[in-house]
Amino acid sequence: MDNLATDHWYDFRDLANLSRVILEGIDKVAPYELAYIVAPIIGFVAAFVIFVLPSQLFVGVYGERRIIGRIQSRRGPNRVGPFGLLQPVADALKLLQKEALTPKVADRTLMWAAPVFFVAPAVLLFAVIPFGPRMVFADVPAGLIFFIAVSGLPVLAAFIAGWSSNNKYSLYGAMRIVAMSVSYEVPLVLMLLCVVVFTNTMSLPGIVWFQKDVDLWLIFMQPLAFVVYFIAVSAELNRTPTDIAEAESEIVAGYLTEYSGMKWGLFYGMDIGYALAASAFAATIFLGGWSMWGLEQWVPPWVIFIAKTHLFYMVFIWTRGTLPRLRIDQLMGFAWKFLLPLAVVNLFLVSLERLWWSESDLGGGIVFVIAAINVPVSAVAVYLWARFLGYKPERVPTRPRLAREAGGYVPLEEPVIGGGK
Amino acid sequence: MLTLEHFLTVGALLFCLGLVIALSKRNAIGVLMGIELMLNSVNLTLIAFSRFSDGPAEIAGHAFVAFIITVAAAEAAVALALAVAVYRSRQTVEVDQLDLLKL
Amino acid sequence: MEGAGVNIAFYVLSILTLVAAGGVMVSRNLLHAVLFLIVAFIGVAGFFVLLSAEFIAMAQIVIYVGAIAVLILFAIVLTPRSVRDNSETAMVGPAILLGVALATVFLFVIHDTGWMTGAGDPGLSASDLGRALLSTWVLPFEIASVLLTAALVGAIMLVRSEAEESEDVPDADA
Amino acid sequence: MSEIVQSEPFVMNIGPQHPSTHGVFRVKATVDGERVIDAEMVIGYLHRSMEKLAEERTYTQNIPFTDRTDYLSSMSNNLGYCLAVEKLAGIEVPPRGQAIRVIMAELQRLASHCMGAGAFANDTGAWQTPIMWFMREREKILDIFEMTSGARLTCNYMRIGGVAFELPEGFEEEVRALIGPLRQTIADGEGLLSGNEIFLARARNVAVIPPDMAVNASLSGPMLRGSGVAWDIRKADPYCGYEQYDFDIPIGYQGDAYDRFIVRLEEMRQSLRIVEQALDGLPGGPHSTEVPLALRPPAGEAYARIESPRGELGYYLVSDEGPSPHRFHIRPPSLINLSVLKEMTVGGSIADAIVALGSIDIVVGEIDR
């Protein structure tokens, strides 16, 4: 593999150089073990300073509010600092000053512990994401399954939060989030299994290298997996249209109802953190990670990667601004009846394709053929399965009937079906 | 310096704690938790053996653990279904109340 | 396995796991017990990482923490409050006695045996495990899948009430 | 979840402090898992005893009260009350006054439906976007109210015998400038929601009111029309010269929440048609007849009803020849429409209950008075 960047510390195309130089410097003046302690700290600080914190504040909070404001034909935050850019900071300061109330009947210990349990996995998630060719903090061989495992933990924290609040709305939120994540984990994992079967590796840098080597992103080779990933992950992250665990018009704020002050702030901030992690994961797996058809030779790969992550996050914002929310039974039915069969079919298809690829000696060019097969097959599969389950949008009227004169009941000329329950 | 004994000790203590829980809890779900702990300790022991051995035994330890995890998942599902079914018919999941077979 | 980091990690994980397991025993509230159980599971996963079984560690977290613990939480929350205590039966005394005795025997055996430890090659990857499962262990693997299916069907059949069974008579319009 | 284990039913308070109760309204819902098995309405948190207070004030002084019943459609309330007094005292309104009243009432209907349709979309979880679009248009209507009457929400513009002031300079241009963007916004809202699969899943076949139930419960307004009953006071019992205007009654198909939503949107289009016609044919002359300040109508009783945005709004007045009404009663459409809430919610899930409540489009100020 060609090294894209040089090894000089000032080559900012690869920040791993910088950390290596720092570590070598420490190694000269300090005992060997110190480097082990410093390395994680450097990686952690770098990941947070360069990516997580600015993204959280300026994309997750500020950007989301500005874009949703634009969708809703209003301005969004525009008072604090230039263009309102300091609004997230002001919000955080406000939250710090607020009292974090704990209800008398709540389980105090658990209510205190829940935000902590919620924050910790978010930090872990970014450890396996490859920001650049050598910029991966922990190159776990089973990075993909690490991601699945760790992203299941905040659900438990949310459950603890909801249960310990001792509030009926919170309990509903807690039950809903657990039920949802258990259901959506199944198609999600099956679809990621498709990716693993196809790329033959479970390591996230390996998947990026795979996409770079064949010069095609997995989103084209596995369109169905991408769609299912997006839906399932937005369900797990509680983003509209699947935000039933926090559904503010139904159960006030779900498991967060009794939280206030910075405890709530941690949940809010880390919700964005998880959404960013999911976006980063999607950018890695489906959008080619830091690779960009040779552009990564000139632009720092981590800039490309962050741009892709933010692009994916924009889709989250977009859906949040436009779509209504589904009901819990509809969501569960969607996961089990719609996504799961599709995922199984896709897994079968991908296994066949992989077998074909390894048996034949066509080389890397075959992926274009596979992409050309998979895109229409996925679209047709989605359409046919939806039809089979009774989706008939054209039968639903979008305009009411009109009557000229007042009178009694006007009978229907033909029965109306479609849509709904 | 960590040796096999270290891990075996932890596994043994975990197993005994799980055993005490499984034997003494009144609630069927509590008993189930004890059993899960015991299974976990066995997993730990197997992985420790696998790590400190060579040859085919190494992969066998991993494979055993994979099967135990599978069985544990199945067992948990069935046990909880049993608990729910028992609760439905007897309005209790306390194991010392379930004494229909006692003379 | 040498190095200060590994030693520290081992002792921290030991204390975490054993204290959490003790928490399962002593906590009065069943939900607290489950949360302690989750901590114990995570601790065991940490041991697996320490023993360079990353894949098994991840599987442990996905299955034990993500599925079994959630299942137990569901079972607890769905049973009424009155049966949510985690007290012991009268058998607690003998049980503890048995546990201590067994622990003594175990510890004696562990420390008295001269274990034939090999070099211990840590490089066992998920693909090695996968290959083993589909070659050497293929029969148990298939049996496990049958077992899972049977457990799935059995669990569903156990919790069905008669009312639900009558609901499932296929309708003409469904 | 309730299918797995028989869970205990428990009472969940929806309101009085809840994001989706549209004011201080409370539903004591008994729920079994996610399913609502009983719903009890608790109203009266906003009771201000208007009907009794009105017996102590003169007929003219009572007009501001009517602003504050249905605070989202003060013009319509003013109009209903003034019609009742005029009927009681036998006062004729000049044609220009009537046309202005029609324009104002229809603008008020537009403003109120903007709020109603937007809030309903909010209840289904379309987080703030449709309501913000509709609120933008509603603001323009409120601007027109402000330039006409000086107030945005509680306009207090109608008077017994006509309206309070002549229309201001530039009124017609402002209203005409409003119509195009408002049509576009209605189309936008429809494009965002009406064919949307998620919205259909949430609103279609939810909270169904069959036509016979709608009639028997004496529902009115979009609630009744959503069930497919063509009934509109503007057509059935015209007032203020509504018989001169050309418009249709939108009616729904099967009486679900979705039908009520599309009926509201279509009603907004019809209102725009009426406003255009009224502006085109705005007659000259006085805007109001002279009415003595201390009006003493002859003894008797009168009931006047109008089609308010929410349904049949009736004012019942009894005079004993005194300067203030002997009895003053309001038939609030929100209250009567709310009476079917239990039928709409029981058996559905909590999420459906919220959608059902949102589709009624209640205003608690009117329910409690």
Side-chain angles (χ1 to χ4, degrees), chain C residues 74 78-81 159 161 164 167, chain D residues 1-8 35:
Chain C
F74 253 75
L78 290 175
T79 48
R81 210 167 270 272
V159 292
S161 63
E164 283 158 16
E167 265 176 30
Chain D
M1 262 140 282
S2 60
E3 277 84 18
I4 302 173
V5 187
Q6 287 122 338
S7 48
E8 294 164 288
R35 187 162 296 167

Side-chain angles (χ1 to χ4, degrees), chain D residues 171-299:
Chain D
F171 174 84
E172 198 178 325
E173 292 75 49
E174 287 282 328
V175 178
R176 283 191 195 280
L178 172 93
I179 289 171
L182 188 47
R183 279 225 164 88
Q184 185 56 44
T185 304
I186 296 168
D188 286 349
E190 212 171 52
L192 188 67
L193 293 171
S194 287
N196 185 321
E197 186 62 21
I198 300 177
F199 187 74
L200 284 173
R202 284 306 303 282
R204 198 114 178 95
N205 294 327
V206 168
V208 178
I209 306 176
D212 53 338
M213 185 167 107
V215 173
N216 289 345
S218 70
L219 305 184
S220 52
M223 288 280 283
L224 181 65
R225 291 193 280 277
S227 296
V229 182
W231 183 256
D232 190 320
I233 311 286
R234 290 175 295 177
K235 289 268 193 196
D237 181 13
Y239 54 92
C240 291
Y242 264 113
E243 61 275 9
Q244 320 159 25
Y245 303 112
D246 175 40
F247 64 100
D248 299 315
I249 309 174
I251 49 176
Y253 297 87
Q254 49 189 19
D256 51 21
Y258 177 75
D259 279 347
R260 296 192 271 282
F261 175 76
I262 56 175
V263 161
R264 284 205 177 89
L265 286 189
E266 185 62 33
E267 257 179 47
M268 289 167 74
R269 288 207 181 85
Q270 301 297 336
S271 290
L272 285 174
R273 277 175 74 191
I274 299 174
V275 169
E276 275 178 334
Q277 292 170 40
L279 280 178
D280 289 341
L282 193 62
H287 60 81
S288 181
T289 46
E290 286 293 317
V291 173
L293 204 57
L295 182 68
R296 286 168 185 271

Side-chain angles (χ1 to χ4, degrees), chain A residues 132-156:
Chain A
R134 286 178 297 175
M135 283 171 63
V136 50
F137 181 46
D139 190 356
V140 184
L144 194 131
I145 200 161
F146 173 89
F147 196 92
I148 295 169
V150 175
S151 62
L153 295 180
V155 173
L156 282 168

